[in-house]
């Protein structure tokens, strides 16, 4: 199960990287990218307001990203539990199949022995009838 747990960490890390990249792109686009000019940005007050809005937006996106990472981690955890349960059920089924195969082997052996006994009894009975008929 170590492989599955390592795989879970890799998936969560992948989600975190994807979300971080998305946040970087959103931050870059919302700031106007390269060559952004605006009349608000030219004044100290406008620049502060724009920066504050960007910081608030980044904080909101970070909260959303954290929630999404948590949700993804929970989903991976549930999937891991289902995989472990499926492995347990599979092992149990394999054990039962093995037990059934042994039982079938024993039944076949018992049937062969019963057939031998019947053949012997029939042979003895027929031999007895032949002896009785000769007298």
């Amino acid at each position: 199960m170590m492989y599955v747990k390592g795989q879970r960490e890799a998936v969560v890390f992948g989600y975190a990287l994807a979300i971080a990249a998305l946040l970087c792109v959103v931050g870059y686009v919302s700031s106007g990218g390269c060559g952004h000019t605006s009349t608000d940005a030219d004044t100290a007050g406008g620049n502060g307001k724009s920066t504050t809005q960007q910081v608030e937006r980044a904080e909101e996106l970070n909260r959303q990203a954290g929630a999404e990472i948590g949700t993804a981690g929970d989903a991976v955890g549930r999937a891991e539990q289902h995989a472990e349960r499926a492995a347990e059920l599979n092992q149990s089924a394999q054990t039962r199949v093995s037990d059934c195969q042994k039982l079938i082997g024993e039944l076949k052996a018992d049937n062969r022995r019963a057939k031998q006994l019947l053949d012997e009894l029939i042979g003895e009975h027929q031999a007895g009838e032949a002896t009785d008929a000769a007298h």
Side-chain angles (χ1 to χ4, degrees):
M1 285 294 140
M2 292 302 286
Y3 174 74
V4 173
K5 289 182 182 179
Q7 189 176 13
R8 175 183 181 215
E9 292 170 359
V11 169
V12 171
F13 185 70
Y15 280 126
L17 284 177
I19 292 169
L22 181 63
L23 288 174
C24 287
V25 170
V26 168
Y28 181 75
V29 170
S30 68
S31 70
C34 292
H36 171 71
T37 59
S38 95
T39 55
D40 286 343
D42 293 338
T43 64
N47 206 7
K49 182 178 177 184
S50 176
T51 302
T52 302
Q53 289 173 343
Q54 289 176 5
V55 168
E56 289 172 355
R57 180 69 180 143
E59 288 173 351
E60 177 60 28
L61 291 173
N62 283 337
R63 280 191 292 275
Q64 291 174 3
E68 292 298 324
I69 290 171
T71 300
D74 291 344
V76 170
R78 285 190 304 275
E80 189 175 83
Q81 289 173 349
H82 289 302
E84 289 173 1
R85 180 67 179 140
E88 291 170 4
L89 291 173
N90 187 35
Q91 181 60 43
S92 176
Q94 288 176 352
T95 300
R96 289 180 182 164
V97 166
S98 177
D99 291 346
C100 288
Q101 288 172 337
K102 288 177 187 175
L103 183 58
I104 288 170
E106 291 172 6
L107 289 172
K108 286 181 179 179
D110 289 348
N111 284 339
R112 282 191 298 272
R113 181 67 183 137
K115 184 178 179 186
Q116 287 173 347
L117 291 174
L118 285 174
D119 289 345
E120 290 173 12
L121 288 173
I122 291 171
E124 289 173 8
H125 180 68
Q126 288 174 347
E129 285 180 357
T131 304
D132 288 343
H135 283 50

